[in-house]
Each structure stands twice: as C-alpha cells, then as structure tokens.
Amino acid sequence: MIDRDGSPFSQQKRYGMLRTAIYVDAENIKMSGGFGMRYDVLVGLANSPDSVMLRANCYLAEDTERTVRDSEYRQKVHSYHNILRQCGFKVIKKTVRRFQDEDGNITTKANADMDLAIDALLQARNLDRIILLTGDGDFLRLVVALQNMGCRVEVIGFHNVSKELREGADSYISGFLVPGLMPIAGAQGDSADQWQRGTVANYNPDRGFGFFRYYRLTDRGRAVAVAEADRLEETLLQARAKLRVKRA
C-alpha cells in the first residue's frame, strides 16, 4: 500500500493483518450512479493477504408503508436485503418518514448519515482501515475524526462526489474504475474480460490515436484494487481510426 506522500503504508508489517471495515451510504450511492453495484466485489477489496474484513455495514432506506401494500416492491426489497446479507453485510434500515406541511405538501425523509457516523466512530477503535462508499461531503468531518483515531480512510464514489471529501480521504477512486464493481453494458460472454473502464489521458484527433489509463488488479488479488489506488498502472492503448473508449 502506498500513501499519497509515496511512503509505504506498512502498518500491516508491524501489526499483522489490517483490520478493515466497509461502510456503504447506499441511498447516496444509488442516486449518484452506483445502482447495480456488486457488493461481493467490495468484500473482495477488504479481504486480501494483508487485510481482513471485520465489519461490513450497509445503510439504506425502506418505505414500510409501501412494503405493506405493494407485494412486488416488498419482494424486491427483501431479495435485495438477502443478497446483502449473503455477501456478509449487516443491513441497517432507516424507515421512510412522511411530513405534511400547512398546504398539504408531503415530503419524505430517511437519512441514515448519523447512524453510519456513530457506528464508524464506535467501531474504529478496533480497525486499521475503513472503506467508505459515499459522495456526500457531510462525511468529511467523520473522515478526519477516523484519521485522528489512527485509521486509514479510503473513499469510493460515483457521480457528484464532494471535492472536499475526495481531497480529505487518504485515497479516493471512482467506483466506475474499480474492476468488476459495476457491470459494463455490452460486455458479455467470453469477451467480457477484455473490456475496461478508464479515462482518456490524451487523444490526438489529427493523428488518430490516444492514451487510455485504467486500473488493473495485481497478482495479489482483487482485494488490493483500492489499497493500491496510488500505484495506478498506466496502460497505453494505441489504435488508429477504430479506437474505442468506454467512458464511465
């Protein structure tokens, strides 16, 4: 593992396995482009030869009124929660509450931010590394507090991620770039492994070629994808007129 300053993050060498936890702000992730994210891949990021997952919490909202009256919705919600539990996540549900103002307008609220923050702070005393999935800048103060307790905080987000949150974390990576975390449309069958998400580093339209940067998992396994984020392996793909770039 490499810190931003380039020095080895060698805590695991001194103390053994890094004790890792995952905290998912599911509602934020869903609304910002992470719908369909594979939670089993997240577990793989936390479990590696030098890291072990101790906690995995997913914070989400549930409309209990709709659950009672809508059988299709109830089936989907229960199936979703069962998948999370099978992946090893504890599901923390926040009930959707409805408020009506003087004009009869109804607003809904189901915010689990406080639950996530309190759980992370209480559990951090037994952790070395925290993987936080959110784009909400309100969690910046939590990130700083966890760092002050000695934890390394790694953030994964999708669209509309707070600039302050990205800069405050020990490392940040777009969830679109984590190999396998988000399905790629059109990538099916034997050719699926040949598709990569990445960013265009440089493109010269006059010469008809460019450079494409993407993350590659090392032979140490899937679990190092986030921890090795600062050791980004640059792969240069050169093609002429048929260059195809799959953007996140």
Side-chain angles (χ1 to χ4, degrees), residues 32 47 71 142 153 189 218 225:
S32 61
N47 285 319
S71 60
L142 171 65
V153 183
T218 71

Side-chain angles (χ1 to χ4, degrees), residues 11-172:
Q11 191 173 5
Q12 73 275 18
K13 295 180 182 179
R14 299 195 300 271
Y15 302 116
M17 301 283 282
L18 283 174
R19 300 167 299 177
T20 302
I22 306 172
Y23 298 94
V24 181
D25 181 5
E27 296 307 306
N28 178 274
I29 292 298
K30 180 177 68 174
M31 299 300 293
S32 61
F35 180 78
M37 178 179 68
R38 291 188 54 181
Y39 283 81
D40 59 325
V41 174
L42 290 179
V43 173
L45 296 177
N47 285 319
S48 70
D50 55 14
S51 174
V52 59
M53 185 182 77
L54 296 187
R55 298 295 316 169
N57 292 356
C58 182
Y59 301 81
L60 44 78
E62 180 178 351
D63 189 340
T64 54
E65 292 184 12
R66 185 179 176 186
T67 301
V68 171
R69 69 174 186 270
D70 188 337
S71 60
E72 183 178 356
Y73 172 79
R74 181 171 60 251
Q75 179 66 28
K76 289 181 179 179
V77 167
H78 290 172
S79 176
Y80 173 45
H81 293 177
N82 287 336
I83 290 174
L84 294 179
R85 294 188 180 98
Q86 290 170 9
C87 289
F89 280 83
K90 178 180 180 180
V91 177
I92 296 91
K93 297 183 285 186
K94 199 72 171 181
T95 301
V96 174
R97 294 184 295 172
R98 292 174 172 81
F99 303 90
Q100 185 172 352
D101 60 21
E102 298 175 350
D103 299 326
N105 299 316
I106 298 177
T107 58
T108 60
K109 182 179 181 180
N111 193 326
D113 292 1
M114 184 66 70
D115 302 72
L116 190 158
I118 292 175
D119 288 346
L121 289 171
L122 291 175
Q123 296 164 9
R125 69 190 69 179
N126 298 315
L127 299 171
D128 304 307
R129 174 183 173 221
I130 290 173
I131 302 174
L132 176 63
L133 280 92
T134 187
D136 190 344
D138 290 343
F139 284 110
L140 175 61
R141 191 66 189 91
L142 171 65
V143 169
V144 174
L146 294 171
Q147 291 168 334
N148 289 337
M149 296 175 70
C151 294
R152 175 182 174 88
V153 183
E154 302 169 0
V155 172
I156 299 176
F158 292 88
H159 296 310
N160 305 318
V161 179
S162 163
K163 178 177 180 291
E164 291 77 12
L165 185 65
R166 294 198 307 266
E167 294 177 349
D170 292 295
S171 72
Y172 168 76

